[in-house]
Amino acid sequence: MDKLIQADGQPHYGIFPAAPGHINYRDFDFRSPMGRRLGPLAKWRRFHQFQYFGLLGNELIGGCALANLSLVGIGFVYLFHPASGRMIERQFKLPLGLGTSFSQTPDDGVCELRQGRNLLRLQNCTTSGEKRLLVELDDGTRIDAAFSERQPAFQPMCICTPTAVNGWVYAQKVAGVACRGQVRSALGDFDLGQIGAFAHHDWSAGYMRPETNWNWACLSGLAGGLRVGLNLSCGVNETSFSENCFWLDGELIKVDGVRFAFNRDQPLKTWTISSHDGQVELRFEGEGLHEERLNLGFIASNFKQVFGRFSGNLRPSGRAPVSIDGMWGFVEDQYVKW
């Protein structure tokens, strides 16, 4: 599929075997809830895009995100050292996204944020199937991490769902892939390949609900000799189709709807996550979190991303269960108005 938006101005919907070549949102026939056709300014204002790269391993946890919310560009990066409990984190907010650039080609191009001597860059390459994160901060922190979806072969989750009365969301998820590269920081220097780090990647864009919330869970690592990844959500990307899935050695296995049970006021306490079809039964114990609050009236966000360990079972249909025992991963609790 070369383009997500068809000639009639409507998106392709469904779960796709590969990413669209271009998220051509400007060709979308965007209407008000009452059916009035909306112009370029409304298309720009309501279109939002974000990309996330997560690092998971026993010796180092990390996350980096970039978001284009039209009126503001947002970025964050953090590193957590489990052995010492120490953490480095930085946040960036740029009015009107000045200093940012975002490609609308999920498998190719660059999304980046620059502020002073700080750079956050996420680069994707079609020819190699590689996703790369480059972070350079003015305190000397440097992250250069990458993985390939082709060596070994991996099937990403590529999905587009209708959203509310007049929107849509395209999302592309990867988890359970080995990561390579280098990290230099006040927490120490790390060779990601040598420490057995895994990666998670998320590329999402579209016309999301103006006021929404979601929960999300992801894990990546080795279990029973298998490369295991997991991506679950509740509250977004589940109208007609669902992004819920896990991967075993790169093979995508779909999962039904999921329930997140947790204490919103105490996110480091135990979470339980289970799927209606019985394929997922997990507990999550938080070790730390990155959180942000923003309330500008017209834009607001209450965001908690918790990193910690999962335990429980994955039960793929017709196969032996996969036991998860203390595998690192993320959960999120997000409210946003945009």
Side-chain angles (χ1 to χ4, degrees):
M1 185 196 320
D2 291 336
K3 297 179 179 180
L4 182 69
I5 306 301
Q6 305 173 74
D8 64 358
Q10 297 303 309
H12 292 276
Y13 290 118
I15 297 174
F16 314 131
H22 183 220
I23 308 302
N24 55 322
Y25 74 93
R26 293 179 181 85
D27 297 328
F28 176 44
D29 183 9
F30 190 32
R31 304 289 183 103
S32 75
M34 301 304 293
R36 179 172 58 88
R37 181 171 278 114
L38 301 174
L41 182 61
K43 288 184 184 182
W44 167 79
R45 170 67 183 90
R46 287 289 312 282
F47 179 79
H48 303 313
Q49 177 179 347
F50 55 88
Q51 194 172 172
Y52 177 77
F53 194 116
L55 300 172
L56 292 163
N58 289 329
E59 297 184 37
L60 190 69
I61 306 296
C64 180
L66 295 176
N68 170 19
L69 307 184
S70 64
L71 296 178
V72 63
I74 295 175
F76 71 76
V77 60
Y78 66 83
L79 292 169
F80 174 72
H81 186 232
S84 66
R86 298 167 60 207
M87 185 173 177
I88 296 170
E89 57 184 328
R90 295 285 292 275
Q91 303 175 19
F92 303 92
K93 295 179 175 65
L94 285 70
L96 297 177
L98 299 174
T100 68
S101 62
F102 286 84
S103 166
Q104 275 80 58
T105 52
D107 276 346
D108 203 50
V110 172
C111 297
E112 70 175 24
L113 177 153
R114 291 180 179 271
Q115 187 180 66
R117 294 189 294 115
N118 301 293
L119 169 68
L120 309 181
R121 175 185 290 165
L122 287 154
Q123 182 171 1
N124 307 325
C125 181
T126 300
T127 55
S128 65
E130 184 175 87
K131 315 292 186 188
R132 183 187 179 201
L133 167 67
L134 178 63
V135 173
E136 295 177 338
L137 301 182
D138 55 15
D139 63 2
T141 299
R142 190 175 195 274
I143 305 170
D144 190 349
F147 68 86
S148 173
E149 294 178 356
R150 297 184 185 169
Q151 297 177 349
F154 184 91
Q155 175 62 56
M157 165 58 72
C158 303
I159 182 172
C160 185
T161 59
T163 303
V165 68
N166 63 341
W168 52 266
V169 176
Y170 173 77
Q172 185 169 324
K173 307 292 182 82
V174 175
V177 289
C179 187
R180 65 184 187 278
Q182 307 288 327
V183 174
R184 184 180 69 235
S185 74
L187 302 178
D189 296 342
F190 300 88
D191 183 300
L192 297 173
Q194 288 184 1
I195 67 173
F198 277 70
H200 163 77
H201 186 261
D202 177 350
W203 197 106
S204 296
Y207 291 86
M208 305 168 191
R209 294 178 183 89
E211 185 173 12
T212 189
N213 71 284
W214 66 76
N215 297 122
W216 169 77
C218 168
L219 61 76
S220 291
L222 292 172
L226 299 170
R227 288 176 285 108
V228 179
L230 174 130
N231 178 83
L232 303 174
S233 75
C234 181
V236 69
N237 297 335
E238 56 191 11
T239 307
S240 304
F241 312 94
S242 162
E243 68 175 68
N244 296 330
C245 65
F246 57 84
W247 293 268
L248 301 178
D249 281 343
E251 178 189 356
L252 187 153
I253 298 169
K254 278 293 287 120
V255 173
D256 205 343
V258 292
R259 163 69 176 156
F260 289 74
F262 66 102
N263 186 327
R264 177 157 283 145
D265 296 325
Q266 297 179 295
L268 292 175
K269 286 197 169 182
T270 302
W271 296 49
T272 60
I273 303 165
S274 57
S275 65
H276 177 71
D277 59 14
Q279 289 194 97
V280 175
E281 288 186 2
L282 294 171
R283 297 180 312 280
F284 175 84
E285 304 290 343
E287 299 262 344
L289 79 159
H290 171 81
E291 59 183 332
E292 299 186 25
R293 289 192 179 188
L294 175 71
N295 191 352
L296 302 178
F298 56 91
I299 290 179
S301 174
N302 187 359
F303 171 68
K304 301 180 186 74
Q305 184 176 93
V306 188
F307 42 89
R309 294 180 180 270
F310 285 91
S311 297
N313 290 284
L314 304 178
R315 296 189 174 91
S317 179
R319 306 190 196 185
V322 178
S323 178
I324 305 299
D325 184 12
M327 185 177 293
W328 285 100
F330 307 101
V331 295
E332 267 184 13
D333 183 29
Q334 166 97 42
Y335 161 79
V336 65
K337 179 173 72 171
W338 45 23

